[in-house]
Amino acid sequence: MLALRIATMRPLRADAAAHPGLALALGTMMAAAAAAIAWAVAAWTEARHVASACSLAAMIAAWWRARPGHGASRGWPPGSLGLRASLAAIDDRSYYRDQAERHGPVFKMSQFGRPVACVVGHERGRRLFAEHAGALAPAKLPYNRLLAKGLLRYMGRDDHRQEAPLFRAILANVDLEAAESSVRAGLRAQLDRLCADSQAIPAGVSPRDYGFRWLAGAVARLFLGVGHDDPRVERIAALLPLLHLHRAGGTAWRRRILDAMAGMTAILREVADDYAAGSPRVAPGSVIALLLAAEPDALDRPARAENMVLIERLATGDLAGLLDWIVLFLGDSPRWRDEVRRHGRTHGGAQSSLPLDPATCVAMETLRLEQSEFVYRRVVAPIAFEGHTIPAGWLLRLCVNESHRDASVHPDPHVFDPARFRDRAWSRNEYSPFGGHAHGCMGGHVALFLARVFVEELAIGYEWTVTADGPHERWSRHRDHWRPNPRRRIAMRARAGAHEDDGVEALAPAS
Ligand code: HEM
């Protein structure tokens, strides 16, 4: 009965729907095994005894392991390692928060059988990362195996020291201001298209597709220096979704990723050739221009080229998730739409001086509540921390979202209130959506720049209503992000006179 309940929980149903062939094969095998056991049990008394003893032993072992106090004598943190709790964590938005309330800020759970130590609190997490750096290694996803040295995020210390500084320096210097006009024009083109489509489709349209297409162009402008109307943007928008990084699915998956990587690298090379030929189509302050100026043969080094492609892919993915949430929060907040409209557009790169403009406040508050959820590491040597022992072989999950919802740091923590960011700078122990350790985000300023532009264009230029919705959800893994319901639809229209006299359309797309 319990096995049946577990087998029909949503994460497993979602996987079955995504891989029906595999689900059918596994289901058939399990049904055949169950039938064979049932037949043996009916035919032989000894088999009946053995089966009863085995299932009793399995149930006792599962119960023993699922007890919150399991491992207390060895110093393990409290919390259940049971499979039911593990699956519940995928579907229950407040699972980690509830566990922290019940067991304290360091607790354990399991992700499909693998124990995970969860830590809530930015200060606590930073201390743990600093004091036990040698006991922590990147928690890589399977696609990393397909790369020469791996993704920057997953590199060991030596490779990271070799590869990261150049990318960090380049991303810090990318010329956001020069890209702004092209980025805004590209966004308006997508939002106007959304308006036209939503008028033609009475049920409304999904804003996600338009946000993604804008981002493909905006990130291409920042990384490759090409305008939002460059024909290569369409190719990039088609290739990026094929880089399906959060799954591991055999030969077809592997081939698709390698083909998409090859396609993206070919585009990089085309742009590099344009740059070498002195083409004005490649903007000087873009990532590729800065990379080639620093290292003319950079694209001949697989680790450089692969990371360039994958940073572009991950940046687009993270930002597309963020835009989804911004549309949702801003849609529910007429006050903040008005604040942004009253203030008008802010020009230039990411803003940091107080008081912050309303659009940046909206972006930062959205990141406090959503999209920035966790940081994972693999524990490679036992860790003694705050009276607990975390054994080697476990995963470590720094609970970023839950740390951002601590009422002693952020009053009314579940309320969307961008005003908290207007006049107050928050320390990294209080607000840390981009991490802050050796692998901390290299693109936080890029994210805040693009999010601010998005909030401004959306609020100032458009009105929208929700035509269909459902509960928030996420895909079927603990490391997937929560998102607004995929069936969510909106209808949008342009506000009269919103684009007048702001100078954006008058400027040619940056070349
Ligand atoms: C919603 C937007 C974003 C969020 C919430 C975010 C968050 C993060 C976090 C938490 C990390 C640390 C991961 C770890 O320690 O395991 C990280 C790493 C990284 N991020 Fe972001 N990021 C965002 C957008 C971007 C963008 C736009 C770029 C590039 C322009 C970028 C580039 C990177 C890179 C290169 C790393 C790896 C750094 C390293 O390993 O040295 N991110 N990001």
Side-chain angles (χ1 to χ4, degrees), residues 34-62:
I37 292 170
W39 174 77
V41 163
W44 294 302
T45 321
E46 292 82 357
R48 199 157 36 240
H49 293 155
V50 171
S52 312
C54 287
S55 48
L56 189 65
M59 278 164 66
I60 291 173

PDB file of all heavy atoms in Angstrom, residues 34-62:
ATOM      1  N   ALA A  34       6.098  -8.695  -8.973  1.00  0.00           N
ATOM      2  CA  ALA A  34       5.060  -8.849  -7.946  1.00  0.00           C
ATOM      3  C   ALA A  34       4.235 -10.113  -8.214  1.00  0.00           C
ATOM      4  O   ALA A  34       3.908 -10.864  -7.281  1.00  0.00           O
ATOM      5  CB  ALA A  34       4.166  -7.613  -7.919  1.00  0.00           C
ATOM      6  N   ALA A  35       3.914 -10.350  -9.517  1.00  0.00           N
ATOM      7  CA  ALA A  35       3.118 -11.537  -9.856  1.00  0.00           C
ATOM      8  C   ALA A  35       3.906 -12.809  -9.528  1.00  0.00           C
ATOM      9  O   ALA A  35       3.353 -13.781  -8.988  1.00  0.00           O
ATOM     10  CB  ALA A  35       2.744 -11.504 -11.340  1.00  0.00           C
ATOM     11  N   ALA A  36       5.234 -12.804  -9.822  1.00  0.00           N
ATOM     12  CA  ALA A  36       6.058 -13.999  -9.552  1.00  0.00           C
ATOM     13  C   ALA A  36       6.097 -14.263  -8.052  1.00  0.00           C
ATOM     14  O   ALA A  36       5.959 -15.412  -7.606  1.00  0.00           O
ATOM     15  CB  ALA A  36       7.472 -13.786 -10.105  1.00  0.00           C
ATOM     16  N   ILE A  37       6.263 -13.185  -7.264  1.00  0.00           N
ATOM     17  CA  ILE A  37       6.309 -13.367  -5.803  1.00  0.00           C
ATOM     18  C   ILE A  37       4.955 -13.901  -5.307  1.00  0.00           C
ATOM     19  O   ILE A  37       4.884 -14.848  -4.516  1.00  0.00           O
ATOM     20  CB  ILE A  37       6.683 -12.037  -5.096  1.00  0.00           C
ATOM     21  CG1 ILE A  37       8.133 -11.673  -5.423  1.00  0.00           C
ATOM     22  CG2 ILE A  37       6.500 -12.142  -3.585  1.00  0.00           C
ATOM     23  CD1 ILE A  37       8.555 -10.284  -4.992  1.00  0.00           C
ATOM     24  N   ALA A  38       3.859 -13.290  -5.839  1.00  0.00           N
ATOM     25  CA  ALA A  38       2.525 -13.727  -5.408  1.00  0.00           C
ATOM     26  C   ALA A  38       2.316 -15.208  -5.740  1.00  0.00           C
ATOM     27  O   ALA A  38       1.779 -15.973  -4.930  1.00  0.00           O
ATOM     28  CB  ALA A  38       1.458 -12.867  -6.079  1.00  0.00           C
ATOM     29  N   TRP A  39       2.779 -15.603  -6.939  1.00  0.00           N
ATOM     30  CA  TRP A  39       2.613 -17.008  -7.342  1.00  0.00           C
ATOM     31  C   TRP A  39       3.419 -17.926  -6.427  1.00  0.00           C
ATOM     32  O   TRP A  39       2.918 -18.935  -5.939  1.00  0.00           O
ATOM     33  CB  TRP A  39       3.078 -17.158  -8.806  1.00  0.00           C
ATOM     34  CG  TRP A  39       3.075 -18.589  -9.271  1.00  0.00           C
ATOM     35  CD1 TRP A  39       1.992 -19.338  -9.641  1.00  0.00           C
ATOM     36  CD2 TRP A  39       4.222 -19.431  -9.356  1.00  0.00           C
ATOM     37  NE1 TRP A  39       2.378 -20.608  -9.967  1.00  0.00           N
ATOM     38  CE2 TRP A  39       3.762 -20.694  -9.799  1.00  0.00           C
ATOM     39  CE3 TRP A  39       5.575 -19.265  -9.106  1.00  0.00           C
ATOM     40  CZ2 TRP A  39       4.616 -21.770 -10.004  1.00  0.00           C
ATOM     41  CZ3 TRP A  39       6.422 -20.336  -9.315  1.00  0.00           C
ATOM     42  CH2 TRP A  39       5.942 -21.578  -9.753  1.00  0.00           C
ATOM     43  N   ALA A  40       4.706 -17.519  -6.155  1.00  0.00           N
ATOM     44  CA  ALA A  40       5.560 -18.351  -5.307  1.00  0.00           C
ATOM     45  C   ALA A  40       4.962 -18.459  -3.899  1.00  0.00           C
ATOM     46  O   ALA A  40       4.938 -19.534  -3.296  1.00  0.00           O
ATOM     47  CB  ALA A  40       6.966 -17.752  -5.248  1.00  0.00           C
ATOM     48  N   VAL A  41       4.444 -17.337  -3.413  1.00  0.00           N
ATOM     49  CA  VAL A  41       3.861 -17.308  -2.062  1.00  0.00           C
ATOM     50  C   VAL A  41       2.637 -18.226  -1.992  1.00  0.00           C
ATOM     51  O   VAL A  41       2.427 -18.957  -1.015  1.00  0.00           O
ATOM     52  CB  VAL A  41       3.494 -15.849  -1.695  1.00  0.00           C
ATOM     53  CG1 VAL A  41       2.528 -15.798  -0.535  1.00  0.00           C
ATOM     54  CG2 VAL A  41       4.761 -15.059  -1.364  1.00  0.00           C
ATOM     55  N   ALA A  42       1.831 -18.210  -3.096  1.00  0.00           N
ATOM     56  CA  ALA A  42       0.636 -19.060  -3.108  1.00  0.00           C
ATOM     57  C   ALA A  42       1.009 -20.530  -3.227  1.00  0.00           C
ATOM     58  O   ALA A  42       0.354 -21.408  -2.658  1.00  0.00           O
ATOM     59  CB  ALA A  42      -0.274 -18.643  -4.269  1.00  0.00           C
ATOM     60  N   ALA A  43       2.120 -20.820  -3.973  1.00  0.00           N
ATOM     61  CA  ALA A  43       2.465 -22.213  -4.254  1.00  0.00           C
ATOM     62  C   ALA A  43       3.228 -22.874  -3.111  1.00  0.00           C
ATOM     63  O   ALA A  43       3.080 -24.061  -2.874  1.00  0.00           O
ATOM     64  CB  ALA A  43       3.278 -22.281  -5.550  1.00  0.00           C
ATOM     65  N   TRP A  44       4.116 -22.102  -2.444  1.00  0.00           N
ATOM     66  CA  TRP A  44       4.975 -22.719  -1.413  1.00  0.00           C
ATOM     67  C   TRP A  44       4.832 -22.033  -0.069  1.00  0.00           C
ATOM     68  O   TRP A  44       4.976 -20.810   0.047  1.00  0.00           O
ATOM     69  CB  TRP A  44       6.455 -22.637  -1.827  1.00  0.00           C
ATOM     70  CG  TRP A  44       6.777 -23.454  -3.029  1.00  0.00           C
ATOM     71  CD1 TRP A  44       6.618 -24.780  -3.212  1.00  0.00           C
ATOM     72  CD2 TRP A  44       7.352 -22.939  -4.236  1.00  0.00           C
ATOM     73  NE1 TRP A  44       7.042 -25.170  -4.456  1.00  0.00           N
ATOM     74  CE2 TRP A  44       7.511 -24.045  -5.115  1.00  0.00           C
ATOM     75  CE3 TRP A  44       7.738 -21.691  -4.699  1.00  0.00           C
ATOM     76  CZ2 TRP A  44       8.041 -23.914  -6.394  1.00  0.00           C
ATOM     77  CZ3 TRP A  44       8.279 -21.568  -5.948  1.00  0.00           C
ATOM     78  CH2 TRP A  44       8.414 -22.668  -6.792  1.00  0.00           C
ATOM     79  N   THR A  45       4.623 -22.847   0.956  1.00  0.00           N
ATOM     80  CA  THR A  45       4.507 -22.288   2.305  1.00  0.00           C
ATOM     81  C   THR A  45       5.808 -21.612   2.722  1.00  0.00           C
ATOM     82  O   THR A  45       5.814 -20.532   3.315  1.00  0.00           O
ATOM     83  CB  THR A  45       4.201 -23.420   3.322  1.00  0.00           C
ATOM     84  OG1 THR A  45       3.299 -24.330   2.715  1.00  0.00           O
ATOM     85  CG2 THR A  45       3.647 -22.880   4.605  1.00  0.00           C
ATOM     86  N   GLU A  46       6.995 -22.251   2.344  1.00  0.00           N
ATOM     87  CA  GLU A  46       8.290 -21.678   2.747  1.00  0.00           C
ATOM     88  C   GLU A  46       8.445 -20.291   2.139  1.00  0.00           C
ATOM     89  O   GLU A  46       8.915 -19.361   2.782  1.00  0.00           O
ATOM     90  CB  GLU A  46       9.471 -22.552   2.260  1.00  0.00           C
ATOM     91  CG  GLU A  46       9.582 -23.906   2.927  1.00  0.00           C
ATOM     92  CD  GLU A  46       8.638 -24.939   2.292  1.00  0.00           C
ATOM     93  OE1 GLU A  46       7.869 -24.577   1.372  1.00  0.00           O
ATOM     94  OE2 GLU A  46       8.650 -26.092   2.751  1.00  0.00           O
ATOM     95  N   ALA A  47       8.018 -20.159   0.863  1.00  0.00           N
ATOM     96  CA  ALA A  47       8.148 -18.854   0.187  1.00  0.00           C
ATOM     97  C   ALA A  47       7.323 -17.808   0.910  1.00  0.00           C
ATOM     98  O   ALA A  47       7.722 -16.645   1.040  1.00  0.00           O
ATOM     99  CB  ALA A  47       7.695 -18.975  -1.270  1.00  0.00           C
ATOM    100  N   ARG A  48       6.135 -18.281   1.403  1.00  0.00           N
ATOM    101  CA  ARG A  48       5.281 -17.335   2.136  1.00  0.00           C
ATOM    102  C   ARG A  48       6.011 -16.805   3.375  1.00  0.00           C
ATOM    103  O   ARG A  48       6.043 -15.613   3.641  1.00  0.00           O
ATOM    104  CB  ARG A  48       3.992 -18.059   2.548  1.00  0.00           C
ATOM    105  CG  ARG A  48       2.889 -17.099   2.884  1.00  0.00           C
ATOM    106  CD  ARG A  48       1.476 -17.669   2.761  1.00  0.00           C
ATOM    107  NE  ARG A  48       1.269 -19.055   3.134  1.00  0.00           N
ATOM    108  CZ  ARG A  48       0.814 -19.981   2.305  1.00  0.00           C
ATOM    109  NH1 ARG A  48       0.544 -19.675   1.045  1.00  0.00           N
ATOM    110  NH2 ARG A  48       0.617 -21.215   2.711  1.00  0.00           N
ATOM    111  N   HIS A  49       6.699 -17.730   4.069  1.00  0.00           N
ATOM    112  CA  HIS A  49       7.414 -17.311   5.284  1.00  0.00           C
ATOM    113  C   HIS A  49       8.568 -16.380   4.954  1.00  0.00           C
ATOM    114  O   HIS A  49       8.768 -15.356   5.613  1.00  0.00           O
ATOM    115  CB  HIS A  49       7.923 -18.552   6.050  1.00  0.00           C
ATOM    116  CG  HIS A  49       6.790 -19.363   6.611  1.00  0.00           C
ATOM    117  ND1 HIS A  49       6.892 -20.710   6.873  1.00  0.00           N
ATOM    118  CD2 HIS A  49       5.508 -19.016   6.931  1.00  0.00           C
ATOM    119  CE1 HIS A  49       5.741 -21.158   7.341  1.00  0.00           C
ATOM    120  NE2 HIS A  49       4.884 -20.134   7.374  1.00  0.00           N
ATOM    121  N   VAL A  50       9.319 -16.750   3.888  1.00  0.00           N
ATOM    122  CA  VAL A  50      10.483 -15.919   3.521  1.00  0.00           C
ATOM    123  C   VAL A  50       9.996 -14.523   3.107  1.00  0.00           C
ATOM    124  O   VAL A  50      10.546 -13.495   3.530  1.00  0.00           O
ATOM    125  CB  VAL A  50      11.285 -16.580   2.361  1.00  0.00           C
ATOM    126  CG1 VAL A  50      12.361 -15.625   1.836  1.00  0.00           C
ATOM    127  CG2 VAL A  50      11.925 -17.869   2.843  1.00  0.00           C
ATOM    128  N   ALA A  51       8.911 -14.485   2.282  1.00  0.00           N
ATOM    129  CA  ALA A  51       8.405 -13.183   1.805  1.00  0.00           C
ATOM    130  C   ALA A  51       7.937 -12.329   2.981  1.00  0.00           C
ATOM    131  O   ALA A  51       8.218 -11.121   3.041  1.00  0.00           O
ATOM    132  CB  ALA A  51       7.269 -13.391   0.811  1.00  0.00           C
ATOM    133  N   SER A  52       7.232 -12.955   3.937  1.00  0.00           N
ATOM    134  CA  SER A  52       6.741 -12.177   5.085  1.00  0.00           C
ATOM    135  C   SER A  52       7.912 -11.635   5.884  1.00  0.00           C
ATOM    136  O   SER A  52       7.933 -10.458   6.279  1.00  0.00           O
ATOM    137  CB  SER A  52       5.901 -13.029   6.033  1.00  0.00           C
ATOM    138  OG  SER A  52       4.968 -13.748   5.323  1.00  0.00           O
ATOM    139  N   ALA A  53       8.926 -12.503   6.101  1.00  0.00           N
ATOM    140  CA  ALA A  53      10.082 -12.057   6.897  1.00  0.00           C
ATOM    141  C   ALA A  53      10.796 -10.913   6.195  1.00  0.00           C
ATOM    142  O   ALA A  53      11.177  -9.917   6.823  1.00  0.00           O
ATOM    143  CB  ALA A  53      11.034 -13.232   7.119  1.00  0.00           C
ATOM    144  N   CYS A  54      10.969 -11.067   4.841  1.00  0.00           N
ATOM    145  CA  CYS A  54      11.694 -10.017   4.090  1.00  0.00           C
ATOM    146  C   CYS A  54      10.931  -8.703   4.139  1.00  0.00           C
ATOM    147  O   CYS A  54      11.528  -7.637   4.354  1.00  0.00           O
ATOM    148  CB  CYS A  54      11.893 -10.424   2.627  1.00  0.00           C
ATOM    149  SG  CYS A  54      13.135 -11.697   2.453  1.00  0.00           S
ATOM    150  N   SER A  55       9.592  -8.766   3.899  1.00  0.00           N
ATOM    151  CA  SER A  55       8.887  -7.476   3.863  1.00  0.00           C
ATOM    152  C   SER A  55       8.835  -6.848   5.256  1.00  0.00           C
ATOM    153  O   SER A  55       8.959  -5.631   5.392  1.00  0.00           O
ATOM    154  CB  SER A  55       7.492  -7.585   3.238  1.00  0.00           C
ATOM    155  OG  SER A  55       6.816  -8.646   3.801  1.00  0.00           O
ATOM    156  N   LEU A  56       8.754  -7.698   6.301  1.00  0.00           N
ATOM    157  CA  LEU A  56       8.773  -7.131   7.648  1.00  0.00           C
ATOM    158  C   LEU A  56      10.125  -6.456   7.920  1.00  0.00           C
ATOM    159  O   LEU A  56      10.187  -5.321   8.429  1.00  0.00           O
ATOM    160  CB  LEU A  56       8.518  -8.253   8.676  1.00  0.00           C
ATOM    161  CG  LEU A  56       8.305  -7.780  10.106  1.00  0.00           C
ATOM    162  CD1 LEU A  56       7.013  -6.954  10.210  1.00  0.00           C
ATOM    163  CD2 LEU A  56       8.241  -8.969  11.082  1.00  0.00           C
ATOM    164  N   ALA A  57      11.216  -7.156   7.518  1.00  0.00           N
ATOM    165  CA  ALA A  57      12.558  -6.603   7.751  1.00  0.00           C
ATOM    166  C   ALA A  57      12.717  -5.284   6.985  1.00  0.00           C
ATOM    167  O   ALA A  57      13.258  -4.298   7.506  1.00  0.00           O
ATOM    168  CB  ALA A  57      13.624  -7.598   7.306  1.00  0.00           C
ATOM    169  N   ALA A  58      12.206  -5.259   5.714  1.00  0.00           N
ATOM    170  CA  ALA A  58      12.342  -4.033   4.902  1.00  0.00           C
ATOM    171  C   ALA A  58      11.556  -2.889   5.550  1.00  0.00           C
ATOM    172  O   ALA A  58      12.033  -1.746   5.603  1.00  0.00           O
ATOM    173  CB  ALA A  58      11.842  -4.297   3.483  1.00  0.00           C
ATOM    174  N   MET A  59      10.352  -3.215   6.058  1.00  0.00           N
ATOM    175  CA  MET A  59       9.539  -2.158   6.674  1.00  0.00           C
ATOM    176  C   MET A  59      10.195  -1.611   7.941  1.00  0.00           C
ATOM    177  O   MET A  59      10.236  -0.399   8.172  1.00  0.00           O
ATOM    178  CB  MET A  59       8.132  -2.690   7.000  1.00  0.00           C
ATOM    179  CG  MET A  59       7.224  -2.677   5.782  1.00  0.00           C
ATOM    180  SD  MET A  59       5.772  -3.700   6.012  1.00  0.00           S
ATOM    181  CE  MET A  59       4.929  -2.832   7.296  1.00  0.00           C
ATOM    182  N   ILE A  60      10.785  -2.545   8.733  1.00  0.00           N
ATOM    183  CA  ILE A  60      11.446  -2.085   9.962  1.00  0.00           C
ATOM    184  C   ILE A  60      12.663  -1.217   9.607  1.00  0.00           C
ATOM    185  O   ILE A  60      12.878  -0.148  10.192  1.00  0.00           O
ATOM    186  CB  ILE A  60      11.858  -3.288  10.849  1.00  0.00           C
ATOM    187  CG1 ILE A  60      10.598  -3.951  11.395  1.00  0.00           C
ATOM    188  CG2 ILE A  60      12.770  -2.849  11.994  1.00  0.00           C
ATOM    189  CD1 ILE A  60      10.828  -5.242  12.142  1.00  0.00           C
ATOM    190  N   ALA A  61      13.433  -1.678   8.578  1.00  0.00           N
ATOM    191  CA  ALA A  61      14.633  -0.911   8.190  1.00  0.00           C
ATOM    192  C   ALA A  61      14.234   0.480   7.699  1.00  0.00           C
ATOM    193  O   ALA A  61      14.859   1.490   8.043  1.00  0.00           O
ATOM    194  CB  ALA A  61      15.405  -1.668   7.108  1.00  0.00           C
ATOM    195  N   ALA A  62      13.146   0.546   6.867  1.00  0.00           N
ATOM    196  CA  ALA A  62      12.706   1.848   6.330  1.00  0.00           C
ATOM    197  C   ALA A  62      12.231   2.754   7.466  1.00  0.00           C
ATOM    198  O   ALA A  62      12.556   3.949   7.511  1.00  0.00           O
ATOM    199  CB  ALA A  62      11.589   1.634   5.307  1.00  0.00           C
TER     200      ALA A  62
END
